[in-house]
Amino acid sequence: MGIVEPDVEFAWNCSLFDLMIFSDILENEDDFIEYLEQRIPLFTSEKIRVNDEIDLLGYFLENGKLVDEKLLKKVDDYSLNKTSQEIDAYFQKGGKKPKKKR
């Protein structure tokens, strides 16, 4: 269809509902681009498993990055879990909108 070049190693994909969360939570384009730039290498790492994109977003908001490189060197397998609690509370219970820690 010509949407993605055939030689591209990576194309980020997420559900429309997750993308709606991203557009509501992230404050600007720069944060979104920073997220995507950090997200790309995670697709090629065999150590990292991403089960939920929103957990990854929660980790990004809390830490300003997606992976702790020092921690990653110490483990064979890395998976995030339950780092979307603030995001869930915002959407499900009308909690405070999560913001990226600067």
Side-chain angles (χ1 to χ4, degrees):
M1 293 178 61
I3 296 170
V4 177
E5 296 291 328
D7 60 341
V8 170
E9 294 180 31
F10 164 81
W12 182 61
N13 58 50
C14 75
S15 77
L16 181 58
F17 297 110
D18 285 355
L19 189 57
M20 290 167 53
I21 291 171
F22 273 82
S23 70
D24 190 11
I25 297 292
L26 292 177
E27 296 179 5
N28 55 57
E29 291 176 18
D30 292 335
D31 287 345
F32 184 63
I33 291 169
E34 181 182 358
Y35 178 89
L36 290 178
E37 287 175 342
Q38 292 183 38
R39 180 69 173 95
I40 291 169
L42 302 186
F43 277 97
T44 58
S45 174
E46 295 178 12
K47 287 184 171 185
I48 299 171
R49 286 182 286 119
V50 178
N51 299 321
D52 185 346
E53 198 73 32
I54 303 306
D55 277 336
L56 206 53
L57 175 60
Y59 189 86
F60 176 74
L61 293 173
E62 184 64 31
N63 299 288
K65 58 184 177 179
L66 290 181
V67 174
D68 181 336
E69 295 295 333
K70 290 179 184 177
L71 174 66
L72 194 58
K73 289 178 183 178
K74 297 177 184 179
V75 298
D76 294 326
D77 189 45
Y78 183 79
S79 180
L80 292 174
N81 195 9
K82 304 293 184 198
T83 55
S84 62
Q85 294 167 340
E86 286 185 40
I87 297 169
D88 293 342
Y90 170 66
F91 284 102
Q92 295 172 0
K93 301 174 184 170
K96 184 178 175 185
K97 183 176 179 176
K99 294 187 181 237
K100 181 180 172 196
K101 307 280 191 283
R102 303 269 175 209

XYZ file of all heavy atoms in Angstrom:
846
model
N 0.811 -1.191 0.000
C 0.000 0.000 0.000
C 0.860 1.263 0.000
O 0.343 2.351 -0.185
C -0.919 -0.005 1.215
C -1.958 -1.109 1.157
S -3.030 -1.189 2.617
C -3.807 0.400 2.569
N 2.155 1.136 0.275
C 3.041 2.281 0.223
C 3.017 3.174 1.452
O 3.586 4.249 1.459
N 2.372 2.725 2.510
C 2.288 3.537 3.726
C 3.620 3.539 4.456
O 4.075 4.565 4.933
C 1.159 3.033 4.646
C -0.189 3.205 3.938
C 1.169 3.750 5.972
C -1.345 2.547 4.635
N 4.248 2.371 4.539
C 5.545 2.233 5.205
C 6.540 1.729 4.167
O 6.258 0.785 3.426
C 5.454 1.239 6.389
C 6.809 1.042 7.028
C 4.430 1.714 7.403
N 7.690 2.371 4.106
C 8.732 1.955 3.174
C 9.129 0.507 3.466
O 9.216 0.102 4.633
C 9.957 2.861 3.316
C 9.700 4.304 2.939
C 9.455 4.488 1.468
O 10.020 3.730 0.650
O 8.664 5.396 1.123
N 9.412 -0.291 2.441
C 9.740 -1.715 2.657
C 11.010 -1.950 3.467
O 11.140 -2.967 4.134
C 9.904 -2.270 1.240
C 9.538 -1.195 0.304
C 9.347 0.076 1.048
N 11.963 -1.024 3.436
C 13.226 -1.232 4.142
C 13.235 -0.641 5.550
O 14.254 -0.663 6.232
C 14.393 -0.670 3.329
C 14.255 0.825 3.063
O 13.142 1.357 3.173
O 15.276 1.456 2.739
N 12.117 -0.146 6.020
C 12.032 0.416 7.374
C 12.066 -0.717 8.389
O 11.337 -1.703 8.265
C 10.738 1.253 7.541
C 10.520 1.632 8.990
C 10.786 2.482 6.668
N 12.960 -0.588 9.381
C 13.094 -1.623 10.397
C 12.002 -1.560 11.451
O 11.741 -2.522 12.143
C 14.452 -1.490 11.096
C 15.621 -1.768 10.189
C 16.931 -1.619 10.937
O 16.970 -1.873 12.147
O 17.915 -1.241 10.294
N 11.376 -0.407 11.590
C 10.457 -0.206 12.697
C 9.261 0.622 12.269
O 9.394 1.609 11.547
C 11.184 0.517 13.829
C 10.257 1.103 14.857
C 9.730 0.302 15.849
C 9.890 2.426 14.814
C 8.871 0.825 16.792
C 9.027 2.965 15.758
C 8.523 2.162 16.751
N 8.117 0.221 12.708
C 6.913 1.047 12.585
C 6.127 0.850 13.874
O 5.688 -0.256 14.192
C 6.090 0.629 11.376
N 6.001 1.906 14.655
C 5.288 1.824 15.928
C 3.825 1.571 15.647
O 3.217 2.185 14.776
C 5.470 3.127 16.698
C 4.831 3.153 18.048
C 5.120 2.328 19.095
C 3.829 4.050 18.523
N 4.363 2.667 20.187
C 3.554 3.726 19.869
C 3.133 5.108 17.943
C 2.628 4.414 20.629
C 2.206 5.795 18.707
C 1.965 5.447 20.037
N 3.248 0.647 16.380
C 1.819 0.415 16.230
C 1.194 0.350 17.610
O 1.790 -0.124 18.560
C 1.534 -0.855 15.427
C 2.152 -2.081 16.045
O 1.998 -2.331 17.219
N 2.872 -2.851 15.249
N 0.011 0.890 17.711
C -0.738 0.814 18.957
C -2.213 0.936 18.610
O -2.570 1.341 17.502
C -0.301 1.888 19.953
S -0.869 3.548 19.591
N -3.045 0.585 19.540
C -4.476 0.654 19.283
C -4.928 2.113 19.240
O -4.285 3.004 19.800
C -5.251 -0.100 20.365
O -5.312 0.671 21.549
N -6.030 2.357 18.596
C -6.592 3.700 18.523
C -6.909 4.215 19.921
O -6.696 5.384 20.231
C -7.847 3.698 17.650
C -8.543 5.034 17.460
C -7.595 6.056 16.858
C -9.768 4.870 16.599
N -7.392 3.331 20.795
C -7.722 3.736 22.162
C -6.466 4.152 22.934
O -6.488 5.127 23.680
C -8.477 2.624 22.891
C -9.800 2.319 22.256
C -10.005 1.133 21.580
C -10.837 3.241 22.307
C -11.223 0.861 20.985
C -12.059 2.987 21.715
C -12.260 1.786 21.043
N -5.367 3.423 22.744
C -4.105 3.817 23.379
C -3.625 5.159 22.827
O -3.147 6.012 23.578
C -3.026 2.758 23.167
C -3.215 1.524 24.030
O -4.136 1.518 24.868
O -2.435 0.570 23.863
N -3.769 5.363 21.524
C -3.345 6.626 20.919
C -4.159 7.794 21.479
O -3.623 8.882 21.702
C -3.484 6.548 19.401
C -2.883 7.701 18.613
C -1.405 7.886 18.922
C -3.087 7.474 17.125
N -5.423 7.571 21.756
C -6.257 8.614 22.367
C -5.731 8.976 23.757
O -5.715 10.143 24.145
C -7.714 8.143 22.442
C -8.368 8.073 21.074
S -9.951 7.199 21.007
C -10.899 7.992 22.260
N -5.274 7.977 24.503
C -4.692 8.217 25.825
C -3.417 9.043 25.685
O -3.208 10.010 26.412
C -4.436 6.886 26.558
C -5.772 6.238 26.918
C -3.561 7.099 27.792
C -5.658 4.814 27.443
N -2.563 8.662 24.732
C -1.332 9.417 24.488
C -1.645 10.870 24.184
O -1.008 11.775 24.712
C -0.538 8.807 23.317
C 0.390 7.712 23.719
C -0.078 6.421 23.901
C 1.737 7.961 23.911
C 0.774 5.406 24.265
C 2.600 6.952 24.276
C 2.118 5.672 24.456
N -2.632 11.109 23.321
C -2.929 12.485 22.916
C -3.498 13.296 24.070
O -3.306 14.513 24.122
C -3.883 12.501 21.723
O -5.170 12.074 22.092
N -4.152 12.652 25.003
C -4.707 13.364 26.152
C -3.644 13.617 27.227
O -3.595 14.687 27.817
C -5.869 12.573 26.744
C -6.647 13.346 27.795
O -6.433 14.570 27.933
O -7.468 12.731 28.491
N -2.781 12.654 27.444
C -1.812 12.727 28.543
C -0.576 13.556 28.189
O -0.154 14.413 28.960
C -1.372 11.310 28.988
C -2.551 10.522 29.541
C -0.234 11.384 29.995
C -3.102 11.030 30.840
N 0.020 13.300 27.042
C 1.247 14.014 26.683
C 0.922 15.462 26.354
O -0.024 15.752 25.627
C 1.960 13.329 25.520
C 2.536 11.952 25.858
C 3.167 11.321 24.629
C 3.540 12.025 26.993
N 1.719 16.360 26.884
C 1.420 17.790 26.812
C 1.802 18.443 25.487
O 1.277 19.495 25.142
C 2.111 18.520 27.955
C 1.585 18.087 29.307
C 2.279 18.774 30.462
O 3.113 19.668 30.220
O 1.970 18.424 31.600
N 2.732 17.831 24.747
C 3.178 18.474 23.514
C 3.798 17.452 22.562
O 4.040 16.308 22.940
C 4.165 19.601 23.828
C 5.326 19.125 24.661
O 6.040 18.222 24.282
N 5.514 19.735 25.831
N 4.054 17.900 21.347
C 4.650 17.041 20.329
C 6.037 16.562 20.723
O 6.426 15.438 20.415
C 4.754 17.781 18.993
C 3.453 18.061 18.327
C 3.641 18.876 17.057
O 4.773 18.930 16.515
O 2.659 19.466 16.611
N 6.800 17.431 21.377
C 8.169 17.073 21.759
C 8.186 15.852 22.675
O 9.036 14.967 22.526
C 8.873 18.243 22.434
C 9.137 19.395 21.475
O 9.227 19.154 20.247
O 9.254 20.532 21.951
N 7.253 15.802 23.634
C 7.184 14.640 24.526
C 6.819 13.380 23.749
O 7.356 12.306 24.004
C 6.174 14.872 25.649
C 6.673 15.853 26.698
O 7.885 16.147 26.722
O 5.848 16.326 27.503
N 5.917 13.512 22.791
C 5.514 12.357 21.984
C 6.682 11.868 21.137
O 6.953 10.671 21.078
C 4.313 12.714 21.110
C 3.774 11.555 20.321
C 3.250 10.449 20.961
C 3.788 11.581 18.935
C 2.744 9.377 20.240
C 3.284 10.517 18.210
C 2.756 9.403 18.860
N 7.396 12.791 20.510
C 8.554 12.411 19.689
C 9.640 11.790 20.560
O 10.248 10.781 20.179
C 9.079 13.631 18.902
C 8.054 14.013 17.835
C 10.446 13.351 18.290
C 8.311 15.349 17.170
N 9.868 12.360 21.738
C 10.862 11.795 22.659
C 10.469 10.363 23.042
O 11.311 9.463 23.071
C 10.972 12.665 23.905
C 11.995 12.166 24.901
C 12.071 13.017 26.161
O 11.349 14.039 26.269
O 12.856 12.643 27.045
N 9.191 10.148 23.321
C 8.699 8.798 23.647
C 8.996 7.841 22.491
O 9.547 6.764 22.696
C 7.199 8.838 23.942
C 6.624 7.472 24.234
C 6.608 6.987 25.535
C 6.126 6.673 23.216
C 6.093 5.727 25.812
C 5.616 5.418 23.488
C 5.598 4.948 24.784
O 5.103 3.696 25.053
N 8.620 8.242 21.279
C 8.824 7.366 20.123
C 10.296 7.092 19.862
O 10.664 5.960 19.531
C 8.173 7.961 18.874
C 6.656 7.967 18.859
C 6.155 8.640 17.584
C 6.078 6.577 19.001
N 11.147 8.101 20.019
C 12.585 7.903 19.807
C 13.161 6.913 20.809
O 14.057 6.135 20.481
C 13.325 9.233 19.882
C 13.093 10.102 18.667
C 13.713 11.482 18.780
O 14.036 11.930 19.916
O 13.867 12.122 17.728
N 12.657 6.932 22.031
C 13.117 5.975 23.036
C 12.463 4.612 22.840
O 13.008 3.582 23.249
C 12.817 6.496 24.438
C 13.629 7.699 24.820
C 13.365 8.135 26.236
O 13.179 7.313 27.133
N 13.349 9.439 26.460
N 11.298 4.599 22.233
C 10.534 3.357 22.047
C 11.128 2.491 20.945
O 11.114 1.268 21.037
C 9.082 3.732 21.701
C 8.147 2.556 21.470
C 7.903 1.828 22.774
N 6.903 0.808 22.648
C 7.142 -0.473 22.419
N 8.386 -0.896 22.258
N 6.163 -1.345 22.353
N 11.669 3.089 19.899
C 12.164 2.348 18.739
C 13.163 1.259 19.115
O 13.001 0.108 18.715
C 12.746 3.312 17.683
C 11.604 4.121 17.060
C 13.529 2.566 16.610
C 12.066 5.280 16.198
N 14.208 1.547 19.903
C 15.171 0.484 20.233
C 14.572 -0.676 21.030
O 15.102 -1.782 21.007
C 16.233 1.206 21.070
C 16.065 2.644 20.788
C 14.630 2.843 20.436
N 13.473 -0.445 21.700
C 12.872 -1.519 22.489
C 12.310 -2.634 21.616
O 12.197 -3.769 22.053
C 11.765 -0.968 23.391
C 12.174 0.116 24.378
C 11.013 0.453 25.298
C 13.383 -0.286 25.183
N 11.975 -2.328 20.382
C 11.461 -3.352 19.474
C 12.540 -4.337 19.063
O 12.243 -5.484 18.744
C 10.854 -2.709 18.223
C 9.454 -2.251 18.420
C 9.198 -0.930 18.731
C 8.394 -3.123 18.321
C 7.900 -0.497 18.911
C 7.092 -2.700 18.510
C 6.849 -1.383 18.805
N 13.789 -3.899 19.052
C 14.865 -4.777 18.617
C 15.557 -5.483 19.778
O 16.367 -6.365 19.551
C 15.911 -3.989 17.799
O 16.414 -2.921 18.607
C 15.291 -3.421 16.535
N 15.238 -5.118 21.009
C 15.861 -5.754 22.166
C 15.139 -7.054 22.513
O 13.923 -7.078 22.642
C 15.813 -4.823 23.376
O 16.304 -5.495 24.523
N 15.906 -8.102 22.647
C 15.322 -9.392 23.024
C 15.073 -9.483 24.525
O 14.367 -10.358 24.988
C 16.227 -10.526 22.560
C 16.329 -10.601 21.050
C 17.253 -11.697 20.586
O 17.654 -12.556 21.401
O 17.580 -11.707 19.383
N 15.667 -8.584 25.294
C 15.513 -8.595 26.748
C 14.186 -8.000 27.206
O 13.688 -8.331 28.262
C 16.625 -7.774 27.413
C 17.978 -8.399 27.399
C 18.926 -7.515 28.187
C 20.252 -8.168 28.395
N 21.117 -7.362 29.265
N 13.646 -7.091 26.423
C 12.505 -6.300 26.879
C 11.211 -6.815 26.270
O 11.109 -7.019 25.063
C 12.700 -4.818 26.495
C 13.960 -4.290 27.158
C 11.489 -3.997 26.874
C 14.376 -2.932 26.701
N 10.235 -7.013 27.134
C 8.888 -7.388 26.695
C 7.935 -6.269 27.093
O 7.937 -5.816 28.231
C 8.434 -8.688 27.353
C 9.118 -9.913 26.789
C 8.629 -11.192 27.424
N 9.175 -11.292 28.785
C 8.444 -11.348 29.895
N 7.141 -11.324 29.840
N 9.009 -11.440 31.070
N 7.156 -5.825 26.148
C 6.153 -4.803 26.431
C 4.784 -5.430 26.248
O 4.393 -5.771 25.139
C 6.327 -3.581 25.499
C 5.239 -2.560 25.774
C 7.698 -2.975 25.668
N 4.084 -5.589 27.358
C 2.760 -6.194 27.305
C 1.660 -5.148 27.182
O 0.585 -5.435 26.700
C 2.519 -7.043 28.557
C 3.511 -8.174 28.670
O 3.866 -8.796 27.684
N 3.989 -8.426 29.866
N 1.947 -3.948 27.638
C 0.932 -2.901 27.644
C 1.605 -1.560 27.382
O 2.440 -1.112 28.159
C 0.222 -2.884 29.000
C -0.923 -1.906 29.062
O -1.035 -1.035 28.181
O -1.715 -1.995 30.009
N 1.239 -0.931 26.289
C 1.851 0.346 25.898
C 1.590 1.431 26.943
O 2.411 2.304 27.160
C 1.311 0.781 24.532
C 2.142 1.819 23.846
C 3.458 1.288 23.303
O 3.545 0.115 22.894
O 4.421 2.079 23.288
N 0.453 1.354 27.630
C 0.126 2.367 28.623
C 0.992 2.200 29.872
O 1.334 3.185 30.527
C -1.383 2.363 28.949
C -2.197 2.571 27.651
C -1.732 3.427 29.973
C -1.813 3.810 26.849
N 1.380 0.977 30.203
C 2.358 0.783 31.281
C 3.673 1.474 30.916
O 4.317 2.105 31.755
C 2.622 -0.702 31.532
C 1.594 -1.340 32.442
O 0.965 -0.619 33.241
O 1.413 -2.560 32.362
N 4.058 1.347 29.670
C 5.290 1.985 29.211
C 5.162 3.508 29.266
O 6.092 4.203 29.684
C 5.600 1.517 27.789
C 7.044 1.541 27.337
C 7.963 0.802 28.281
C 7.157 0.974 25.946
N 4.009 4.022 28.899
C 3.768 5.464 28.999
C 3.849 5.922 30.458
O 4.455 6.953 30.758
C 2.405 5.831 28.406
C 1.970 7.288 28.557
C 2.959 8.238 27.885
C 0.558 7.474 28.012
N 3.268 5.156 31.366
C 3.330 5.487 32.784
C 4.761 5.543 33.293
O 5.133 6.441 34.049
N 5.579 4.599 32.864
C 6.990 4.583 33.248
C 7.706 5.813 32.684
O 8.501 6.453 33.369
C 7.654 3.294 32.757
C 9.053 3.103 33.287
C 9.266 2.494 34.517
C 10.161 3.545 32.573
C 10.554 2.324 35.020
C 11.446 3.389 33.065
C 11.631 2.776 34.282
O 12.905 2.621 34.777
N 7.401 6.160 31.450
C 7.991 7.337 30.807
C 7.622 8.608 31.561
O 8.475 9.465 31.790
C 7.512 7.406 29.354
C 7.975 8.622 28.607
C 9.288 8.743 28.187
C 7.085 9.636 28.305
C 9.707 9.865 27.482
C 7.499 10.763 27.608
C 8.813 10.872 27.195
N 6.377 8.738 31.957
C 5.944 9.920 32.695
C 6.666 10.030 34.036
O 7.077 11.106 34.451
C 4.431 9.888 32.927
C 3.550 10.009 31.692
C 2.090 9.795 32.064
C 3.743 11.342 30.999
N 6.833 8.910 34.703
C 7.445 8.897 36.031
C 8.959 9.122 35.974
O 9.526 9.779 36.835
C 7.151 7.567 36.726
C 7.656 7.477 38.142
C 6.993 8.464 39.107
O 5.811 8.796 38.904
O 7.676 8.912 40.041
N 9.608 8.563 34.955
C 11.072 8.550 34.924
C 11.704 9.403 33.836
O 12.924 9.574 33.824
C 11.567 7.113 34.781
C 11.135 6.267 35.949
O 11.653 6.416 37.041
N 10.145 5.406 35.739
N 10.904 9.881 32.903
C 11.448 10.678 31.813
C 12.220 9.879 30.786
O 12.827 10.422 29.884
N 12.204 8.583 30.938
C 12.852 7.679 29.990
C 12.118 6.348 30.024
O 11.323 6.083 30.928
C 14.325 7.488 30.330
C 14.572 6.940 31.725
C 16.051 6.869 32.020
C 16.284 6.393 33.444
N 17.698 6.303 33.750
N 12.385 5.509 29.041
C 11.669 4.230 28.966
C 12.449 3.064 29.549
O 11.858 2.068 29.934
C 11.310 3.914 27.513
C 10.239 4.805 26.920
C 9.933 4.399 25.491
C 8.978 4.764 27.749
N 13.762 3.180 29.592
C 14.565 2.063 30.084
C 15.697 2.589 30.948
O 16.352 3.564 30.597
C 15.153 1.244 28.910
C 16.097 0.173 29.411
C 14.056 0.619 28.092
N 15.916 1.943 32.054
C 17.072 2.216 32.896
C 18.205 1.328 32.379
O 18.206 0.119 32.600
C 16.727 1.893 34.354
C 17.861 2.177 35.305
O 19.035 2.187 34.877
O 17.577 2.370 36.494
N 19.131 1.927 31.648
C 20.206 1.161 31.007
C 21.043 0.365 32.012
O 21.457 -0.753 31.731
C 21.110 2.087 30.191
C 20.420 2.737 29.010
C 19.975 1.756 27.944
O 20.578 0.677 27.814
O 19.015 2.075 27.226
N 21.293 0.924 33.192
C 22.076 0.210 34.213
C 21.345 -1.044 34.670
O 21.935 -2.107 34.802
C 22.357 1.116 35.404
C 23.324 2.232 35.117
C 23.547 3.099 36.333
C 24.438 4.278 36.017
N 24.609 5.164 37.163
N 20.056 -0.922 34.900
C 19.244 -2.072 35.305
C 19.189 -3.106 34.194
O 19.310 -4.309 34.445
C 17.830 -1.627 35.679
C 16.833 -2.732 35.994
C 17.244 -3.478 37.255
C 15.433 -2.154 36.150
N 19.032 -2.657 32.972
C 18.917 -3.561 31.834
C 20.175 -4.421 31.667
O 20.087 -5.579 31.269
C 18.637 -2.769 30.563
C 18.162 -3.558 29.364
C 16.885 -4.318 29.674
C 17.951 -2.646 28.174
N 21.332 -3.876 31.995
C 22.583 -4.640 31.880
C 22.657 -5.778 32.898
O 23.373 -6.747 32.700
C 23.780 -3.712 32.056
C 23.988 -2.783 30.898
C 25.155 -1.855 31.139
C 25.289 -0.890 29.978
N 26.369 0.071 30.174
N 21.884 -5.671 33.992
C 21.950 -6.651 35.074
C 20.957 -7.793 34.920
O 21.011 -8.756 35.679
C 21.683 -5.967 36.421
C 22.709 -4.924 36.776
C 22.337 -4.250 38.077
C 23.296 -3.131 38.423
N 22.938 -2.464 39.667
N 20.038 -7.700 33.965
C 18.986 -8.708 33.849
C 18.988 -9.347 32.469
O 19.487 -8.790 31.504
C 17.585 -8.106 34.140
C 17.508 -7.585 35.557
C 17.228 -7.024 33.138
N 18.395 -10.543 32.408
C 18.242 -11.229 31.131
C 16.887 -10.959 30.497
O 16.697 -11.115 29.305
C 18.396 -12.746 31.322
C 19.808 -13.117 31.741
O 20.760 -12.449 31.289
O 19.948 -14.067 32.525
N 15.925 -10.572 31.350
C 14.554 -10.377 30.880
C 13.943 -9.207 31.654
O 14.054 -9.142 32.869
C 13.757 -11.661 31.143
C 12.400 -11.641 30.498
O 12.304 -11.251 29.331
O 11.426 -12.010 31.177
N 13.317 -8.277 30.951
C 12.793 -7.070 31.578
C 11.369 -6.837 31.093
O 11.108 -6.802 29.894
C 13.693 -5.887 31.203
C 13.327 -4.570 31.818
C 13.659 -4.282 33.131
C 12.655 -3.606 31.079
C 13.354 -3.055 33.698
C 12.341 -2.379 31.636
C 12.691 -2.112 32.949
O 12.381 -0.908 33.503
N 10.454 -6.676 32.038
C 9.061 -6.428 31.681
C 8.450 -5.470 32.694
O 8.652 -5.625 33.897
C 8.288 -7.746 31.678
O 6.948 -7.537 31.338
N 7.730 -4.472 32.212
C 7.051 -3.528 33.096
C 5.678 -4.066 33.463
O 5.035 -4.728 32.666
C 6.874 -2.177 32.401
C 8.123 -1.387 32.138
C 7.804 -0.159 31.311
C 8.772 -0.968 33.438
N 5.248 -3.711 34.650
C 3.937 -4.154 35.086
C 3.370 -3.131 36.055
O 4.040 -2.705 36.978
C 4.057 -5.522 35.767
C 2.736 -6.206 35.913
O 1.727 -5.755 35.376
N 2.727 -7.300 36.632
N 2.157 -2.727 35.834
C 1.415 -1.845 36.742
C 2.029 -0.457 36.897
O 1.948 0.127 37.955
C 1.270 -2.499 38.125
C 0.613 -3.853 38.106
C -0.825 -3.750 37.706
C -1.468 -5.119 37.789
N -2.683 -5.241 37.078
N 2.631 0.069 35.853
C 3.139 1.431 35.937
C 2.144 2.429 35.341
O 2.471 3.594 35.151
C 4.500 1.563 35.225
O 4.369 1.110 33.879
C 5.568 0.781 35.951
N 0.935 1.958 35.085
C -0.098 2.833 34.522
C -1.164 3.200 35.553
O -2.239 3.682 35.196
C -0.764 2.151 33.321
O -1.399 0.956 33.731
N -0.882 3.019 36.828
C -1.883 3.243 37.869
C -2.421 4.672 37.876
O -3.628 4.888 38.006
C -1.322 2.876 39.239
C -1.044 1.389 39.363
C -0.207 1.057 40.579
O 0.476 1.909 41.137
N -0.254 -0.197 40.989
N -1.550 5.673 37.727
C -2.001 7.067 37.717
C -2.855 7.352 36.485
O -3.840 8.090 36.562
C -0.818 8.025 37.757
C -0.132 8.110 39.098
C 0.960 9.172 39.102
O 0.749 10.245 38.514
O 2.013 8.908 39.692
N -2.483 6.780 35.360
C -3.255 6.963 34.128
C -4.624 6.317 34.281
O -5.650 6.912 33.927
C -2.491 6.389 32.917
C -1.183 7.151 32.709
C -3.358 6.436 31.657
C -0.231 6.517 31.710
N -4.658 5.106 34.818
C -5.933 4.413 35.046
C -6.831 5.215 35.978
O -8.032 5.363 35.721
C -5.684 3.018 35.631
C -4.987 2.087 34.655
O -4.997 2.366 33.435
O -4.408 1.086 35.124
N -6.255 5.744 37.055
C -7.038 6.523 38.019
C -7.598 7.788 37.370
O -8.732 8.189 37.649
C -6.179 6.882 39.234
N -6.840 8.396 36.490
C -7.286 9.605 35.800
C -8.504 9.312 34.917
O -9.497 10.034 34.946
C -6.139 10.177 34.968
C -6.527 11.286 34.027
C -6.972 12.522 34.508
C -6.445 11.109 32.653
C -7.317 13.551 33.641
C -6.782 12.137 31.780
C -7.218 13.349 32.273
O -7.566 14.362 31.417
N -8.433 8.232 34.140
C -9.513 7.934 33.210
C -10.701 7.227 33.868
O -11.845 7.456 33.494
C -8.997 7.095 32.039
C -8.223 7.898 31.039
C -6.849 7.863 31.018
C -8.871 8.715 30.133
C -6.130 8.616 30.103
C -8.168 9.483 29.224
C -6.795 9.431 29.203
N -10.442 6.383 34.841
C -11.524 5.597 35.427
C -12.200 6.267 36.613
O -13.379 6.050 36.853
C -10.993 4.226 35.855
C -10.544 3.390 34.684
C -9.844 2.112 35.104
O -9.679 1.825 36.281
N -9.416 1.339 34.119
N -11.440 7.083 37.354
C -11.984 7.649 38.584
C -11.942 9.168 38.612
O -12.222 9.779 39.630
C -11.229 7.107 39.790
C -11.306 5.592 39.898
C -10.439 5.068 41.012
C -10.468 3.560 41.014
N -9.488 2.997 41.908
N -11.557 9.780 37.497
C -11.476 11.245 37.469
C -10.360 11.794 38.331
O -10.466 12.904 38.840
N -9.302 11.025 38.478
C -8.160 11.459 39.290
C -7.374 12.568 38.623
O -7.736 13.068 37.541
N -6.307 12.954 39.262
C -5.429 14.018 38.762
C -4.751 13.547 37.463
O -4.284 12.409 37.369
C -4.380 14.344 39.822
C -3.492 15.484 39.446
C -2.516 15.789 40.572
C -1.540 16.862 40.128
N -0.516 17.101 41.129
N -4.686 14.439 36.490
C -4.062 14.100 35.204
C -2.566 13.900 35.419
O -1.872 14.784 35.919
C -4.308 15.213 34.199
C -3.763 14.919 32.826
C -4.120 16.028 31.861
C -3.559 15.756 30.495
N -3.979 16.763 29.525
N -2.039 12.740 35.006
C -0.602 12.494 35.147
C 0.197 13.417 34.232
O -0.243 13.743 33.127
C -0.440 11.042 34.696
C -1.797 10.484 34.621
C -2.740 11.602 34.463
N 1.358 13.820 34.706
C 2.241 14.676 33.915
C 3.640 14.089 33.938
O 4.037 13.439 34.900
C 2.273 16.091 34.479
C 0.942 16.796 34.360
C 1.078 18.238 34.786
C -0.283 18.887 34.677
N -0.299 20.022 33.837
N 4.376 14.385 32.899
C 5.754 13.928 32.811
C 6.595 14.674 33.831
O 6.528 15.896 33.929
C 6.296 14.170 31.408
C 7.712 13.692 31.219
C 8.166 13.979 29.802
C 9.643 13.666 29.688
N 10.222 14.258 28.501
N 7.357 13.939 34.605
C 8.280 14.538 35.561
C 9.417 15.167 34.780
O 9.975 14.560 33.892
C 8.835 13.486 36.532
C 7.772 12.658 37.232
C 7.157 13.386 38.388
C 6.306 12.518 39.251
N 4.993 12.154 38.811
N 9.749 16.350 35.104
C 10.805 17.071 34.367
C 12.095 17.044 35.122
O 12.286 17.048 36.210
C 10.396 18.518 34.110
C 9.098 18.627 33.352
C 9.320 18.673 31.896
N 8.022 18.668 31.241
C 7.842 18.174 30.054
N 8.823 17.636 29.398
N 6.677 18.202 29.470
